[in-house]
């Protein structure tokens, strides 16, 4: 081995470390890139697991027959109130922006914060309000059946 080859090997060894010495310069560059950009792993975080709605009431049994799964994105402008309504089918969601206040006809209140999951009431009249200064964005998932409404409105009940 001549002097220039020894010098080159020493440089590769110094730059890349002993583990890449026998792999060649292209492998050395690859090893450096992998160390600088490690592979990111999928992270799974369970947001909620429950058999009750947010007010503590047990959820009903599943419907008989073929299910229809529905996903809906709701955007509640700041200061907006959604009218009184109830749900026929079970549903749950995740608030991805803002803060949403849910109020039951009986006065029970639940404040859902950004990043939190919520399980809605089934068969119980309630409404939602965005009391904040920015839009709320809520993704809801309904475990329904064909031709069932996602919500039944109660326009006869006045909002305060």
């Amino acid at each position: 081995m001549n002097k220039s080859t020894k010098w080159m090997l020493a440089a590769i060894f110094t730059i890349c470390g002993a583990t890449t010495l026998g792999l060649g310069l292209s492998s050395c560059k690859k090893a450096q890139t992998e160390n600088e950009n490690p592979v990111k792993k999928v992270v799974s975080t369970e947001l909620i697991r429950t058999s009750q709605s947010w007010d503590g009431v047990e959820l009903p049994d599943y419907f008989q027959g073929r299910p229809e799964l529905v996903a809906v994105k709701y955007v509640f402008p700041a200061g907006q109130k959604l009218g009184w309504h109830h749900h026929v089918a079970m549903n749950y969601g995740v608030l991805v922006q803002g803060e949403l206040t849910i109020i039951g006809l009986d006065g029970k209140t639940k404040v859902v914060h950004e990043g939190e999951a919520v399980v809605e009431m089934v068969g119980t009249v309630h409404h939602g309000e965005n009391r904040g200064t920015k839009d709320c964005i809520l993704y809801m998932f309904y475990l329904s059946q064909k031709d069932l409404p996602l919500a039944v409105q109660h326009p006869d009940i006045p909002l305060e």
Side-chain angles (χ1 to χ4, degrees):
M1 190 180 310
N2 65 31
K3 190 174 182 177
S4 62
T5 304
K6 286 181 185 178
W7 180 86
M8 191 180 303
L9 288 175
I12 293 171
F13 180 80
T14 302
I15 294 170
C16 299
T19 59
T20 59
L21 183 59
L23 301 178
L25 190 54
S26 63
S27 295
C28 172
K29 288 179 182 177
K30 181 179 178 189
Q32 282 182 319
T33 304
E34 287 172 357
N35 289 336
E36 292 169 4
N37 300 318
V39 175
K40 293 185 179 184
K41 306 239 187 235
V42 173
V43 176
S44 172
T45 304
E46 186 171 289
L47 298 178
I48 195 166
R49 181 185 296 250
T50 185
S51 296
Q52 299 177 340
S53 58
W54 66 262
D55 62 341
V57 174
E58 289 293 318
L59 293 170
D61 290 336
Y62 283 110
F63 294 116
Q64 294 294 316
R66 183 173 308 279
E68 182 176 67
L69 306 177
V70 183
V72 179
K73 176 184 177 183
Y74 293 98
V75 178
F76 293 80
Q80 183 66 40
K81 293 181 180 182
L82 189 62
W84 292 100
H85 63 279
H86 77 271
H87 301 284
V88 179
M90 289 182 279
N91 64 93
Y92 63 99
V94 177
L95 187 69
V96 296
Q97 180 180 296
E99 187 175 278
L100 181 65
T101 302
I102 307 171
I103 302 141
L105 195 55
D106 61 1
K108 286 185 183 177
T109 301
K110 167 76 174 168
V111 178
V112 184
H113 303 279
E114 192 169 298
E116 289 182 343
V118 63
V119 178
E120 276 277 40
M121 302 165 137
V122 179
T124 302
V125 177
H126 61 282
H127 80 275
E129 298 181 3
N130 180 351
R131 296 177 177 174
T133 57
K134 65 179 178 179
D135 291 354
C136 288
I137 299 175
L138 176 67
Y139 289 97
M140 293 299 294
F141 306 95
Y142 296 83
L143 306 156
S144 191
Q145 283 187 316
K146 186 176 167 115
D147 299 326
L148 280 182
L150 299 181
V152 176
Q153 302 299 318
H154 295 275
D156 52 317
I157 305 172
L159 287 173
E160 289 96 38

